[in-house]
Every structure is written in structure tokens, then in C-alpha cells.
Amino acid sequence: MATFFGEIVTFPSRAVDEEEDDDDVDQVTAICQPVLRWCPEIRLEISKSPDKTISCKTLIVAVGPVATGFIESYVLSKDDDTLGVVVSGMKQTDGNSFSQTMHTDKSCFIYRLRQHRDIVVCQCNSKVSAEQAFIWTQQVFSNIKQSSQVIILSSLQVTEYKSHSRNHTTPFLNCLCSSTLKTKPVCPYLSQPNTVADLPAAILNYCQVYGIAAVLYVTYSDTAYLEVASMKSFLPLLDVQPLKDIVKINSNIDFTLKKLVELNTSQNPLYL
Amino acid sequence: MYVGCPGSPDDFKGCTLILPAVSVGNIGQLSVDLLVTTLELVKVGYIHSECVLPVCGNDPFNTDKKRTEGNLATSTEVYFSAANNLVVVQQRAPLVKGKHADYCNGLIDWITSFQFDKVIMLTSSHAYERLDSQLQGSSFRYIATPKLEKIIGDQMKDELKWCRLENRDSTWCNEHKNETSKISSGVFIPGGGIAKRLYTQCCNKDISMAVLLVFCSEGDNISDALSLTTYLNHWLKVIPTKDPSDVTSSRVWQIPKSWSLLFGSTFDKSIY
């Protein structure tokens, strides 16, 4: 990681340790703990609230470029308020734009929709490791109180999908939901023995354990890079509540999606 | 750490706790899968801890056709059978490196506060680490803390004819700096996960605890899991068996749905 003056600082990593039984590695864990920071106005709003949290009806968490691309194109607009940011560290190779507002930036901002102020959206494009995911979830959920439901969007590679049948038309959408969710999901449940790990799993597990209604939509795509079709695989969500009400009217949606793909593929070294 | 489902018992007085260790071949976890499926155990809570990596999936057991759709399975869940006085923990993901001690401390606190009668940890050890004397005969071993050994030692030796794990000093560090208990100083379970650590702590806290293990290698470990579970059943007698000498019988145990596609998706055989 580079400091302000440009020196490269290396952190001790747990990845170098290959010993299975960690009798001696208890001190070696220097996992960067995720931190949530609010804007000054929001901090003021929180201090005035009775339980020191931001309250909303629905919390939408998009994880990864496919999910954040979908939300950016169909839900978020430029005049939505940025409430805060969740910082979970960066790698040496991560390059961000100056204002950190590009889709390719490794950022994780929290927004509140200007038209629908009871909906909070978290656009997580930064890498949250499996070890950080628990604290990340605790940070977010101890500061944001949602009354209705949590929607998590994520994407995985189809190579990770186990199935008896070989004929999948990719991308396809599957879901998992917590036991308190009352509404019916818009797509089939993820079949056994498939599992979801990392941040989406940590959020859904938290919701399950503490009785929060939550649904995780995961799209399986067959390319390693962002594609218009993968982002469009989330479209069935727009037919039902709560996204049905909040979808923004964009007559030029195909152009917006294409632009996002171009933005991401410009850094793709495949044809260099 | 432990979060009970609504209406779950406040304590598990008189119950036996069965814990898997994430170990070579995942024998402990496979055995627990067999127990939960066959005994149709009911989920009563979760172990929600930052020490376990997040993972989630759909209902992994095929006990009840109605429940299978959309019943979320989290990283670590607690199952209960009032009829058998049995509490079984299933851990579906490895522990975070460097958090093994925290996890064990949390387990010990839970075990003492919920007043478990005894604790049984199911684990396995690398087959290639066996001593010459361990090469022949049964690959099953047990160890018990002094408190439990006093109660069941004779039953293990005379009735069950179980073999206690041979003491062995580690070649490289006889005087281990973290060694706090002389009782567990010769216990050597390579590849056994947290089994030795938890055993040592149970010795120190005077908790009735036994470790059951098999020597095995990574691969198709279904038969190892069947035999370990059968050994456990010889002791606890949760399922009546006709032929106690048959330790690999799969007729007694029901295989859960999550064991399908253990070696990935089906492939097109015509490519060969």
C-alpha cells in the first residue's frame, strides 16, 4: 500500500502462512478492519436519532461490478445523497480516480435515494475479504436500521456452479433468503450443493441469525469481465416491490450499460 | 457467540454436545451431517462468530420435503434432539487463521454456561503420521479428559474395546511454549484442527470431554465418516443396530442431499 508521500508499505499477511494448525500464528493476524465513516450532516442526523442509527425501510447492498453496475444504471441517479463510506483497505494494484466516483474504482459508498428517502443503497465495489466480511456486516448493520427488508445482489462465475445438468443458458439468476422473508423471490432458489461465500454470505447469515428479512440474488455468468447480459440478468427484480417503485426512467439504458462495460474493459489486459 | 432461535432452550443441562473439528478429510463435519440427517435433528440456534468464515446455502438435509425450499443454512448451526439429549453443532466453513484460540474460548464459555453434561469432538488425523504400532488394526482412536475418563474409562476398554490414542511427543518441539497442561502434553493430532487445543482447555477447566478420531487421507472420505459415526453410535446408542461389529454400514445412516456432486458437476463422458 502506498502512503501519501508515495512510499510502499508492506503489511504482514496471513496468506504467507501455510501451517494448518495455527499454534504460533495467533499474533500474525493483521487484517485491516473495515470502518464505516459518515458525512458530517449524517453524523449530526445520527446523533439526534434515538437509537443512534440511520433508519430506512429497505437496504440494498450490491457487491461486485455486475451488481453495482445494475444498481448504478437502473436505480441510482446523480443527485442521490452520499451518506458515507465503508473502508476495507486497498491493494497496491488498486487504482482509483480522484473523486472515487468511477465505476471501476475500488470504493464502497452508501447512498440514500433522493426520490425515495426510505431506501438506502450500499454500492460495494471494493474487495472485502472473507475474514473482513463479519466486521463489515456488523459495522453496517449497527449503524443502519432497516424496517422492512435487505436485498443483496452479487455475481459468481458459472464454473463454480455444480449441477447434474450441463445445459445452462448463462447468465442465470438464483436466490437464497432468510427464514423471516415473507415475499416470494423472483427466481429459483440456489440448488444444493451450491453455496455462496464471502461478503454476501456474511450479510445473509447476519440477517438469518438476527431475524431480519433478507434475500440474496446471485447471478452466474460465464465471463470474467463485466457484460451487459450479466447486469440485465437482475431485470426480473424490477418487476416486484420495492425496486418496482424506485426504478429510474432512462430512455438510453442500453447506451449507459454499454458505457459501463467499456469503462471496465478499457482496463482489461486481455487484448494488450 | 451462541444465538438461539426463538423458543429454543435456555440451557442444555444433561445434554451431550457433539462438535466437529475442521480436519483432514472433513470427517467430523461429514459425521455430523449423518447424525443430523438420520436423527432428523431440529435447528435451535447458531454460533455467530467472527472466527468462522462466512458461507451460506440452501437446506442441506433431505429430512422433510416441505422444508427443503428456501431454508437457509449458515456457517455454523446448532441442532438439538430432546429425545436423545443431544446437541450437535455443524460447522460448514474453516476458522479464520489466527482466531482458533478465540473460537475455543467462546466454545468453552458456551459449554460451561449452558451446562452440557459432556462434550464429544469428532475429528481426524493424517494417516501418514501414524506410528508403526498404529499401522495395523483399527484406525479409530479416542482420548478423554481425566474427568470423563474416570466415568467411562472402563466402558471404553472392556465393553467397546476402544483403543486410546497413543501418546507421542512432537519431534521438533518437546517443550512447546504454549503448552499449559501436562495432561495433554503427549497428545499429537496432526491435521486435527482445534481438537487438541479444545482438549487441553477442557482438561484445564475440568470439563468432561472426549475426542474421537480416525486416521485418514484426503479423498473420498465417506466410508471414514460412516465408520466414525458408527463408533460414536456404539457408545451413545442413539440408533439401535443389529450388528455392532459392522462399522462401515451405510444402511443405518441416511446420506444428506448436500453430499451430491462431491466431485463437481457431471461431465460429458463422450469427450473421452
Side-chain angles (χ1 to χ4, degrees):
Chain A
M1 183 182 158
T3 67
F4 181 73
F5 297 103
E7 303 100 312
I8 303 295
V9 185
T10 52
F11 286 101
S13 163
R14 49 169 290 285
V16 296
D17 191 276
E18 288 179 15
E19 183 65 39
E20 191 202 356
D21 300 335
D22 70 345
D23 276 354
D24 300 320
V25 296
D26 285 356
Q27 305 87 0
V28 198
T29 47
I31 303 165
C32 167
Q33 299 291 14
V35 182
L36 198 161
R37 300 224 184 279
W38 295 115
C39 294
E41 319 76 89
I42 304 301
R43 229 176 294 150
L44 196 70
E45 190 187 316
I46 288 175
S47 64
K48 282 181 189 161
S49 74
D51 48 3
K52 307 286 173 226
T53 53
I54 284 267
S55 50
C56 65
K57 205 170 157 215
T58 307
L59 171 68
I60 302 171
V61 186
V63 185
V66 179
T68 51
F70 169 77
I71 293 291
E72 195 175 320
S73 314
Y74 287 93
V75 176
L76 282 181
S77 51
K78 279 206 175 72
D79 56 349
D80 289 331
D81 304 323
T82 310
L83 308 186
V85 63
V86 192
V87 186
S88 50
M90 283 174 75
K91 286 193 288 185
Q92 283 186 25
T93 47
D94 291 343
N96 273 10
S97 65
F98 191 69
S99 57
Q100 300 196 28
T101 46
M102 296 257 286
H103 184 254
T104 48
D105 287 343
K106 301 286 176 207
S107 58
C108 178
F109 286 106
I110 299 168
Y111 303 92
R112 181 158 53 193
L113 304 190
R114 182 146 284 202
Q115 304 296 327
H116 305 270
R117 296 187 64 78
D118 52 355
I119 291 183
V120 170
V121 178
C122 179
Q123 288 277 77
C124 185
N125 229 340
S126 61
K127 172 76 186 151
V128 181
S129 69
E131 291 84 3
Q132 291 174 320
F134 189 91
I135 305 288
W136 192 102
T137 312
Q138 276 198 323
Q139 286 277 342
V140 169
F141 279 81
S142 58
N143 284 288
I144 303 173
K145 213 175 95 185
Q146 62 295 320
S147 54
S148 172
Q149 66 168 317
V150 177
I151 301 172
I152 311 148
L153 308 182
S154 175
S155 57
L156 282 173
Q157 294 278 309
V158 77
T159 46
E160 293 174 44
Y161 190 79
K162 289 181 190 169
S163 160
H164 285 291
S165 124
R166 295 185 302 277
N167 306 319
H168 301 294
T169 43
T170 54
F172 58 93
L173 194 65
N174 274 176
C175 75
L176 285 170
C177 48
S178 72
S179 49
T180 42
L181 189 84
K182 297 280 189 298
T183 52
K184 208 176 170 311
V186 296
C187 63
Y189 289 103
L190 185 67
S191 64
Q192 268 295 334
N194 294 293
T195 54
V196 179
D198 298 340
L199 185 61
I203 301 170
L204 193 60
N205 283 353
Y206 182 95
C207 294
Q208 171 76 1
V209 169
Y210 295 108
I212 301 165
V215 56
L216 161 66
Y217 289 105
V218 55
T219 181
Y220 282 88
S221 65
D222 53 3
T223 59
Y225 303 105
L226 189 66
E227 262 194 346
V228 172
S230 324
M231 287 190 277
K232 280 194 168 177
S233 66
F234 286 117
L235 279 178
L237 271 75
L238 300 180
D239 299 337
V240 291
Q241 302 287 2
L243 267 75
K244 192 180 175 184
D245 291 343
I246 62 173
V247 58
K248 67 178 179 191
I249 294 134
N250 184 350
S251 52
N252 227 348
I253 190 70
D254 286 329
F255 178 74
T256 316
L257 290 171
K258 245 185 213 157
K259 261 272 173 276
L260 274 182
V261 174
E262 271 172 31
L263 197 64
N264 278 269
T265 44
S266 64
Q267 293 181 351
N268 170 4
L270 186 63
Y271 296 112
L272 278 182
Chain B
M1 191 166 173
Y2 171 75
V3 184
C5 293
S8 64
D10 294 330
D11 65 68
F12 293 114
K13 225 173 188 169
C15 286
T16 301
L17 172 67
I18 296 176
L19 285 166
V22 180
S23 58
V24 50
N26 303 75
I27 306 293
Q29 294 157 288
L30 293 173
S31 291
V32 164
D33 265 350
L34 290 173
L35 285 172
V36 175
T37 316
T38 312
L39 298 172
E40 298 189 8
L41 301 182
V42 185
K43 183 159 74 185
V44 288
Y46 309 89
I47 294 197
H48 191 58
S49 161
E50 64 171 310
C51 307
V52 189
L53 293 175
V55 72
C56 61
N58 236 322
D59 188 1
F61 308 112
N62 46 2
T63 47
D64 183 352
K65 288 278 182 295
K66 277 179 285 179
R67 302 190 328 183
T68 51
E69 279 282 276
N71 192 0
L72 191 76
T74 68
S75 299
T76 318
E77 294 182 323
V78 182
Y79 295 86
F80 177 57
S81 158
N84 295 304
N85 268 344
L86 212 60
V87 176
V88 179
V89 171
Q90 178 59 297
Q91 185 187 332
R92 300 191 174 92
L95 294 174
V96 174
K97 206 86 167 174
K99 297 254 185 213
H100 291 203
D102 289 352
Y103 187 65
C104 284
N105 292 339
L107 282 180
I108 295 281
D109 288 346
W110 179 50
I111 289 162
T112 42
S113 61
F114 275 72
Q115 302 169 316
F116 283 102
D117 184 42
K118 62 177 177 291
V119 182
I120 302 169
M121 174 154 261
L122 304 175
T123 186
S124 50
S125 184
H126 287 302
Y128 64 77
E129 285 275 9
R130 278 174 298 175
L131 300 168
D132 286 351
S133 60
Q134 293 170 334
L135 288 175
Q136 287 190 322
S138 166
S139 63
F140 171 80
R141 294 289 185 278
Y142 86 96
I143 40 169
T145 57
K147 190 179 179 190
L148 188 66
E149 186 80 45
K150 252 185 253 166
I151 308 165
I152 53 133
D154 291 338
Q155 185 197 1
M156 302 268 179
K157 259 179 266 160
D158 305 331
E159 188 191 324
L160 299 169
K161 305 212 176 350
W162 280 6
C163 184
R164 197 180 189 283
L165 181 71
E166 293 82 354
N167 269 12
R168 178 173 159 188
D169 288 322
S170 175
T171 326
W172 307 109
C173 48
N174 276 334
E175 303 277 327
H176 201 285
K177 62 177 189 298
N178 290 341
E179 207 68 79
T180 48
S181 167
K182 280 186 181 163
I183 307 159
S184 64
S185 64
V187 174
F188 185 63
I189 313 172
I194 57 163
K196 189 189 168 180
R197 192 189 283 270
L198 196 73
Y199 174 75
T200 311
Q201 290 200 12
C202 286
C203 286
N204 293 341
K205 300 259 163 141
D206 203 29
I207 295 169
S208 293
M209 189 256 197
V211 177
L212 309 191
L213 66 101
V214 286
F215 298 116
C216 72
S217 305
E218 292 278 359
D220 185 349
N221 299 96
I222 290 176
S223 63
D224 298 307
L226 286 169
S227 79
L228 183 67
T229 322
T230 311
Y231 276 114
L232 175 75
N233 188 42
H234 287 173
W235 177 19
L236 298 182
K237 298 185 176 61
V238 283
I239 289 177
T241 45
K242 282 176 193 157
D243 181 13
S245 62
D246 182 12
V247 291
T248 53
S249 169
S250 58
R251 275 164 295 170
V252 179
W253 304 108
Q254 282 176 33
I255 307 282
K257 193 169 58 177
S258 55
W259 286 18
S260 61
L261 303 170
L262 275 183
F263 299 99
S265 298
T266 45
F267 58 91
D268 188 355
K269 290 199 171 84
S270 66
I271 61 170
Y272 297 109

